[in-house]
């Protein structure tokens, strides 16, 4: 399966995302923010970091790049699965591809640690552990999004509404999450639950 | 702009120039012959260091070789800027050390820091922590470790030492020397008036009125830095790039003159060609500006277009600002006129002082016989900010970005990073023992080295090299000179004895105000390696396992001067320091590695802060298990004696847990390793010698006492 | 075309908790400066623009605030002033 | 004691480069919205305070701006308004 990892100026988790995806069996290319077509790829990953320095607000400026226009076409044409991790999730929300927005953590501080989460996939619920690393990760949304949530904090670290850590779009082809599955693939201390997450993505791609 | 060159130095300069300096040259020399750039008081002493086995110890950063890869690491101090403006000071400290690594074409992969504050100065703590968080996290370089020490000696004199680590194939390393017939290009942020005079500023005592000093603080932008890192690494791949140098202290002046000096060629700079953020800057301002996020390159003319295109892709500005040719002149042009023409050697070979201190004051060698009961001592220790978990700090720092981090902070003695490039692991730590150095700067420095050494060993790493940061008060003062000489001798001696080279470092003087000065503060950053994940050792013990102590046994006659418990419980600083035994240290290292190989060691920690009981508590908190055993060899000690035996700090000890008591005991006996059996990891109580503590109660204090104070403003 | 100069302010919607403000409230209270300052925080921008006339300039400023400077899910904006220059 | 309501704005000093603003300038240009908007950015705060009288309230607001809300090394502030409430 072919995956694209989008690199904006200021993105900084592209290497580990690529490494993790390759470990999980993907063919991975980096694509730049000026890319105009993503149709080659079964999945598109927006990885973590500080695109455009998180100026104005995190994820905001990336939404004006050609690759995000391309991404909208990609989603519209139902070509493959889109996944936004951390800053990628923020970008998807700013671009209104996913509902809601991410604002500063209740503590007003950056938080880097492992968190316990509830993963709901195909009607089954399971506890997993993934690391988080963000300052603006508090999810806010005033619509009813409950049915689209696939990942919830068990011990809400940042004040997210309804404990939301990750959710789908209405068509279930786009997923955004604040935790970093790509950091939970190789090292025992961060757990290996990231591998399971990427298996889910493969499943989603096959589901078509 | 302030000029700070004294008469004696002016004479030295003019003697060598064989003429008077003009206005611009006064600025040039005030920066280049400052303590910060010129190492006037330290250069001779630093020559003592052992650099055998180090890669490029005289470059922007030195390193060690692991496989075919060069691992470069260096420390930087940003004490003065942080005292004035903690947020920007810390941020630009990180920015600066990243550039020193980057200049060698190494990709920065990890950051560490060593911080000292007075715990009462919350705004400094908060500002520095946030500065590191905002800057380091956005650059995408994992902030994997370090240390925080609190002591009122650092009131108004915070110590902020940062360290960066980078990786590059050895044959791809780029050096800083220019060659003749190159062009000089400046990449990055447009030069502005910020930070002008910073080098001179860092070379003097702080003014009592801080607002006067604020103009010298530089301002960082991590987003630009991230782009600069990527662009620089692309540029340095090109063949026609001859040399590279970061723009740090004394900005363009220092970087370009060094390039000419190292390359034994002339440089001519045309200041009209620079991209500026403000038009009406004087030549001195342009040369001395410490605007952040800039790199200087010496290039062959043919590659400039390619370099220009890389810059453009990263939305960075670049300009051709000068050229090199055969000779030894440093020439500054502006508005078509030559403003200064001086020999490069005179700029880059400042006068250096011989330190010949007279004997210094006697230190307090008195022992501490104060006492308190053990239960209250334990509770005080675990909730003291210096002993307690530094979670409040490291959770604000992204220690996992890059996906290389294998052991996060607190989980082991040293941070572990995987080099996916060659499948090795590196371990890194940063340590200092300022109170020990205050009591005896020679032994204290050795103890600091050994602390780092044991941190690496207890995490499974073979130590390879070290960097250091020497923070001192005014070097013109006799006591400070005396300490400086003893510290550098100690570091030279012990690094020779262990065959672990000093690869790089930094010196910061003038850490004093009118009313107070800091302890001699020696920070050591050490790096080691291991070959596979199985060799990594966490400071975590397993349930139902047996706990051994290996190494020295403490007794009532041991020298435990400077032990942390004495400060925490009695605000006492005194005593003699323990001396170290190198053969024992090496035997202990081998034992730990062997036991690990035989699967007889599940977790280990070096015995340091808080002595035997302090270290045991730390591991038990990490492991979330209780303990039952015997720590004292006799029940009849009085309280003072118990405190000494349980919390006293001596050299040469580790504790570890094993799943096989007999095999372990046999191994230790067979190999003549001194050991003591301590007890078993069980339950959720910590029980020894008739005392009992609740694990969770203590752990809660240990984990939260810092944030309970700092989050309350 | 004329040139105009706009000042705008972007703030969080009332229903979104303003964490920075709460930190400031606590800080002023702990420092004994103010018991209940009830802070609110926002971002401030000025910029210049070309437009046919004032009403046109208004529309354009509104567009820039809505599409570029704020996120309507959690933020609101206010045009402070628009002046011809 | 009376209660007052203050609005203040903190911006970068003129000699400090406003990187955020530069990125916005470029963005608006790239999107063909404005060629040279010459953005500047800042932070906006409102809060209430107790003081004897208006002049007193001014001093206190000034103090809060200087000591708490701004970083005098790189920023300046402006008191937009102070009103009795
Ligand atoms: N305490 C020290 N121990 C070893 N090397 C040192 C020490 N202090 C400075 N150096 C070395 O001196 C050189 C110049 O250092 P410095 O002026 O800090 O460089 P830069 O200007 O690039 O930051 C470097 O090679 C540095 O590693
Ligand atoms: Mg350098």
């Amino acid at each position: 399966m072919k995956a694209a990892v989008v690199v904006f100026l200021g993105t900084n988790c592209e290497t580990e995302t690529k490494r993790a995806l390759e470990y999980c069996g993907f063919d991975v290319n980096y694509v730049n923010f000026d890319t105009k077509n993503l149709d080659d790829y079964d999945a598109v990953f927006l990885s973590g970091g500080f695109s455009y320095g998180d100026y104005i607000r995190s994820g905001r400026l990336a939404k004006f790049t050609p690759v995000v226009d391309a991404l909208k076409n990609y989603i519209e044409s139902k070509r493959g699965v889109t996944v936004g991790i951390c800053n990628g999730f923020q970008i998807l929300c700013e671009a209104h591809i996913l509902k809601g927005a991410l604002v500063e953590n209740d503590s007003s501080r950056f938080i880097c640690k492992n968190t316990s989460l509830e993963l709901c996939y195909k009607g089954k619920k399971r506890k997993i552990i993934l690391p988080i690393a963000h300052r603006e990760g508090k999810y806010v949304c005033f619509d009813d999004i409950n049915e689209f949530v696939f990942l919830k904090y068990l011990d809400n670290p940042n004040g997210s509404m309804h404990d939301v850590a990750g959710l789908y779009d209405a068509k279930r082809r786009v997923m955004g999450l604040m935790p970093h599955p790509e950091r939970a693939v190789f090292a025992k201390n961060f757990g290996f639950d990231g591998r399971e997450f990427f298996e889910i993505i493969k499943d989603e791609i096959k589901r078509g | 702009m302030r000029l700070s060159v004294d008469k004696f130095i002016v004479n030295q300069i003019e003697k060598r120039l064989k003429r008077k300096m003009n206005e611009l040259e006064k600025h040039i020399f005030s920066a280049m012959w400052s303590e910060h750039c010129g190492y006037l008081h330290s250069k001779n002493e630093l020559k003592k260091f052992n650099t055998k086995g180090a890669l490029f110890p005289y470059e922007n950063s030195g390193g060690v070789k692991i496989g075919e890869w060069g691992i470069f690491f260096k420390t930087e101090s940003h004490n003065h800027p942080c005292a004035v403006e903690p947020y920007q000071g810390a941020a630009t400290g990180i920015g600066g050390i990243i550039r020193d690594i980057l200049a060698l074409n190494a990709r920065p992969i990890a950051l560490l820091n060593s911080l000292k504050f007075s715990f009462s100065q919350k705004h400094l703590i908060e500002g520095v922590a946030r500065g590191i968080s905002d800057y380091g996290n956005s650059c995408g370089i994992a902030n994997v470790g370090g240390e925080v020490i609190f002591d009122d000696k650092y009131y108004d004199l915070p110590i902020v030492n940062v360290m960066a680590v980078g990786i590059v194939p050895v044959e791809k390393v780029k050096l800083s020397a220019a060659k003749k017939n190159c062009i000089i290009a400046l990449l990055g942020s447009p030069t502005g008036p910020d930070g002008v005079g910073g080098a001179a500023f860092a070379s003097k005592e702080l003014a009592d009125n801080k607002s006067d000093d604020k103009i010298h603080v530089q301002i960082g932008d991590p987003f630009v830095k991230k782009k600069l890192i990527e662009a620089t690494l692309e540029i340095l791949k090109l063949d026609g790039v001859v040399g590279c140098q970061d723009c740090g202290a004394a900005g363009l002046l220092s970087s370009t003159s060094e390039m000419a000096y190292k390359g034994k060629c002339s440089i001519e700079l045309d200041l009209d060609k620079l991209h500026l953020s403000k038009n009406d800057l004087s030549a001195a301002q342009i040369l001395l500006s410490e605007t952040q996020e800039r790199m200087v390159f010496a290039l062959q003319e043919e590659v400039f277009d390619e370099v220009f295109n890389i810059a453009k892709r990263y939305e960075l500005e670049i300009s051709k600002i000068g050229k090199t040719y055969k000779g030894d002149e440093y020439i500054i042009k502006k508005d078509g006129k030559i403003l200064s023409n001086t020999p490069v050697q005179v700029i880059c070979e400042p006068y250096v002082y011989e330190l010949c201190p007279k004997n210094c004051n006697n230190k307090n060698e008195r022992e501490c016989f104060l006492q308190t009961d053990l239960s209250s001592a334990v509770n005080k220790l675990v909730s003291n900010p210096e002993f307690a978990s530094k979670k409040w700090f490291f959770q604000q720092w992204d220690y996992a970005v890059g996906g290389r981090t294998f052991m996060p902070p607190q989980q082991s003695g040293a941070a572990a990073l995987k080099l996916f490039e060659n499948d090795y692991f590196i371990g890194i730590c940063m340590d200092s023992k300022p109170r020990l150095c205050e009591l005896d700067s020679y032994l204290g420095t050795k103890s600091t080295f050994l602390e780092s050494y044991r941190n690496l060993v207890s995490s499974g790493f073979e130590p390879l090299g070290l960097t250091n940061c020497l923070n001192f008060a005014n070097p013109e003062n006799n006591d400070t000179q005396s300490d400086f000489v003893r510290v550098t001798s100690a570091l030279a001696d012990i690094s020779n004895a262990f065959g672990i080279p000093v690869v790089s470092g930094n010196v910061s003087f003038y850490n004093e105000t009118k009313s107070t000065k800091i302890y001699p503060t020696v920070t050591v950053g050490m790096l080691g390696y291991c070959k596979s994940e199985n060799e990594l050792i966490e400071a975590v013990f397993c349930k139902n396992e047996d706990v051994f102590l290996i190494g020295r046994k403490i007794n009532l006659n041991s020298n435990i001067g400077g032990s942390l418990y004495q400060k925490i419980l009695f605000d006492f600083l005194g005593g003699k320091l323990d001396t170290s035994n190198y053969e024992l240290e090496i035997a202990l290292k081998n034992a730990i590695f062997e036991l690990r190989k035989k699967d007889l060691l599940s977790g280990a920690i070096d015995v340091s802060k808080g002595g035997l009981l302090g270290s045991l508590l730390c591991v038990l908190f990490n492991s979330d298990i209780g303990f039952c055993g015997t720590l004292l060899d006799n029940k009849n000690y009085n309280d003072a004696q118990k405190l000494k035996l349980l919390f006293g700090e001596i050299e040469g000890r580790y504790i570890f847990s094993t799943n096989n008591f007999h095999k372990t005991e046999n191994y230790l006996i067979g190999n003549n390793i001194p050991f003591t059996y301590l007890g078993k990891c069980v339950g959720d109580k910590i029980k020894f010698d008739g005392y009992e503590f609740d694990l969770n109660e203590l752990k809660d204090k240990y984990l939260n006492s810092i944030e309970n104070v700092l989050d309350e403003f | 075309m004329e040139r105009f100069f706009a000042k705008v302010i972007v703030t969080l919607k009332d229903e979104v908790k303003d964490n920075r403000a709460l930190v400031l409230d606590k800080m002023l209270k702990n420092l004994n400066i103010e018991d209940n300052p009830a802070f609110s925080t926002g971002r401030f921008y000025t910029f210049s623009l070309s437009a046919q006339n004032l009403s046109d300039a208004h529309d354009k400023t509104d567009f820039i605030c809505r599409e570029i400077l704020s996120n309507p899910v959690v933020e609101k904006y206010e045009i402070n002033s628009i002046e011809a220059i």
Side-chain angles (χ1 to χ4, degrees), chain B residues 256-274:
Chain B
T256 52
S257 57
E258 296 268 323
M259 288 176 102
Y261 179 65
K262 291 208 169 117
K264 298 193 170 58
C265 58
S266 291
I267 257 185
E268 180 188 293
L269 294 183
D270 184 349
L271 302 186
D272 297 328
K273 299 276 164 58
L274 256 80

Side-chain angles (χ1 to χ4, degrees), chain B residues 59-61 74 76 96 99-101 103 245-249 254:
Chain B
E59 281 293 320
N60 283 302
S61 162
K74 184 175 177 217
E76 167 106 318
R99 286 192 303 272
D100 271 334
I101 300 297
Q245 171 74 16
D246 64 296
C247 250
S254 139

Side-chain angles (χ1 to χ4, degrees), chain B residues 517-667:
Chain B
K517 60 183 193 181
I518 62 164
Y519 297 131
T521 304
V522 181
T523 309
V524 167
M526 206 180 279
L527 187 138
Y529 82 109
C530 71
K531 286 189 179 139
S532 82
E533 197 176 345
N534 301 334
E535 295 173 17
L536 299 179
I537 304 170
E538 287 180 81
V540 177
F541 290 174
C542 301
K543 217 176 182 151
N544 296 322
E545 289 198 344
D546 289 303
V547 180
F548 283 88
L549 172 127
I550 51 172
R552 282 201 176 148
K553 286 193 181 73
I554 191 167
N555 62 47
L556 293 178
N557 296 321
S558 299
N559 287 322
I560 58 158
S563 291
L564 180 62
Y565 84 91
Q566 302 176 339
K567 177 191 177 238
I568 292 175
L569 301 178
F570 314 117
D571 198 17
F572 176 88
L573 178 61
K576 289 189 187 156
L577 304 195
D578 194 21
T579 50
S580 41
N581 173 340
Y582 302 164
E583 279 100 65
L584 174 68
E585 294 292 345
I586 290 169
L588 294 177
K589 178 190 81 177
N590 292 337
I592 287 186
F593 291 177
E594 281 282 303
L595 286 165
R596 177 65 171 190
K597 232 178 237 148
K598 295 179 194 296
D599 253 336
L600 292 175
L601 180 148
S602 355
I605 188 170
D606 57 309
V607 177
S608 63
K609 229 170 31 184
L612 172 59
L613 183 50
S615 303
L616 181 64
L617 289 171
C618 283
V619 199
L620 295 175
F621 298 151
N622 276 351
S623 326
D624 218 5
I625 37 175
F627 173 83
C628 183
T630 313
L631 302 180
L632 296 168
D633 56 355
N634 177 333
K635 289 216 165 15
N636 304 322
Y637 294 120
N638 67 30
D639 276 345
Q641 291 169 330
K642 282 182 189 166
L643 293 179
K644 171 164 185 176
L645 297 172
L646 292 173
F647 295 126
E649 296 168 24
I650 57 171
E651 303 293 327
R653 294 187 293 174
Y654 297 87
I655 50 180
F656 68 90
S657 84
T658 178
N659 57 16
N660 192 322
F661 177 89
H662 291 292
K663 279 193 185 163
T664 303
E665 193 183 32
N666 286 339
Y667 173 88

Side-chain angles (χ1 to χ4, degrees), chain B residues 39 46 49 57-60 74 100 468 470 502 504-507:
Chain B
Y39 286 80
L46 299 180
F49 287 163
Y58 305 109
E59 281 293 320
N60 283 302
K74 184 175 177 217
D100 271 334
N468 67 98
L470 308 175
V502 177
S504 63
N506 185 263
V507 181

